[in-house]
Amino acid sequence: MTLRVVVADDQALVRTGFRMIIDARDDLEVVGEASDGREAVRLTRELAPDVVLMDVRMPVVDGIEATRQIAESDSGARVLVLTTWDVDAHVVAALRAGASGFLLKDIRPGELVDAIRVTARGDALLAPAVLSRVLDRFLRTTPDLAPPSLRELSGREREVLTLIGQALSNAEIAERLRLSEATVKNHVTAVLRKLGLRDRVQAVVAAYDHGLVQPRRP
C-alpha cells in the first residue's frame, strides 16, 4: 500500500526537495503541497493523507496550530513536525498540539523516509537528541493535564508501557520480554485503547507522567 504524504513548508525549494526524496520510493507518494498552515489543514481534509510533514514557522497559520486542527479532526492523518529549530518550546508545543513525531530538517533522506513510514504506523517518536529533556519539560509545563488511569492495564501491559516510555521498538520490547513481535503489538494496541491514547508519542508521555520512566538528566 502506498503511503500518501502532504508536505507543508513555506519554502518552495524545501517542498521540492522533500517531494524528490519521497516520490523516489515505491511505497510513498506526495499527494499535495502546502505553503502555509491553513492550506495544510485544507489539503489534509480534501486529500486524506496518511502523514503530513509540517514545518513549524509558516505564515497565515503556523505549523503548531495547523497540527492542532488536524489532530482534532477525524482525518486520521498523523503529523510529523520538521524544523530547523532545535528548540524545546517548539517540540513541547507540537506534542501538546497532537504531533506524532518531531525531527530536525538536517536528517538524512533515508532517515526522513523511515520516519514517514513509522509515523504512519503510529510508532514515531522524537529525535533521540531531544527526547529526554523535551519530555521532562513537557511534563513540567502541562500540570493541567490529568494522566490516564493505569488501573485497566494488566501487569504485562504496564511492562510494555514502561518499555515504550524508554523509546524501545516492538522488536526491542519483544526481545526484552521474550515475546513474539505479534504479541507485543497486541499489547501495545491494548495499552493505547485502554488508556485512550492516540499513538506511541502519547504513550511515552503517559509512561513519564506516571513515573514509570524518569527523565535522564544531562
Side-chain angles (χ1 to χ4, degrees):
M1 183 179 67
T2 300
L3 296 176
R4 298 162 55 83
V5 181
V6 163
V7 177
D9 195 290
D10 61 339
Q11 298 184 42
L13 187 59
V14 172
R15 297 197 306 271
T16 299
F18 283 156
R19 176 182 282 275
M20 291 177 62
I21 293 169
I22 294 167
D23 285 348
R25 271 61 178 187
D26 292 337
D27 62 330
L28 303 176
E29 177 188 8
V30 174
V31 295
E33 296 182 19
S35 59
D36 61 66
R38 180 184 298 170
E39 190 176 12
V41 174
R42 178 181 63 80
L43 289 179
T44 300
R45 182 175 60 251
E46 295 177 357
L47 302 176
D50 299 290
V51 176
V52 179
L53 293 185
M54 185 77 73
D55 187 26
V56 170
R57 299 168 68 96
M58 290 189 295
V60 186
V61 172
D62 66 27
I64 302 301
E65 176 58 28
T67 296
R68 179 176 293 105
Q69 292 182 28
I70 291 172
E72 291 176 351
S73 72
D74 58 357
S75 68
R78 299 184 184 276
V79 178
L80 177 58
V81 174
L82 286 144
T83 181
T84 56
W85 303 88
D86 182 10
V87 180
D88 289 358
H90 292 158
V91 187
V92 171
L95 282 174
R96 295 183 69 177
S100 294
F102 179 97
L103 294 171
L104 302 180
K105 285 183 180 178
D106 61 359
I107 62 173
R108 298 175 181 177
E111 293 173 330
L112 173 62
V113 170
D114 289 341
I116 292 171
R117 290 169 178 153
V118 298
T119 298
R121 294 198 304 265
D123 292 342
L125 295 174
L126 303 177
V130 298
L131 175 61
S132 291
R133 75 170 193 268
V134 164
L135 285 175
D136 183 30
R137 176 167 176 171
F138 178 88
L139 295 175
R140 287 189 287 105
T141 57
T142 54
D144 56 318
L145 298 181
S149 172
L150 301 185
R151 287 178 297 182
E152 297 296 321
L153 299 186
S154 68
R156 178 64 82 187
E157 289 164 354
R158 286 176 67 102
E159 287 184 285
V160 169
L161 176 59
T162 300
L163 296 176
I164 291 174
Q166 296 173 11
L168 270 63
S169 66
N170 283 358
E172 291 168 331
I173 294 173
E175 182 178 1
R176 181 77 62 88
L177 299 180
R178 298 183 178 180
L179 300 172
S180 69
E181 282 195 56
T183 299
V184 170
K185 183 176 181 180
N186 289 338
H187 284 314
V188 171
T189 299
V191 168
L192 298 182
R193 175 177 53 81
K194 289 181 179 181
L195 299 185
L197 304 176
R198 189 168 184 266
D199 53 32
R200 289 176 82 106
V201 169
Q202 291 190 346
V204 171
V205 172
Y208 275 75
D209 219 358
H210 281 283
L212 299 178
V213 182
Q214 296 296 324
R216 290 170 296 182
R217 304 299 179 182

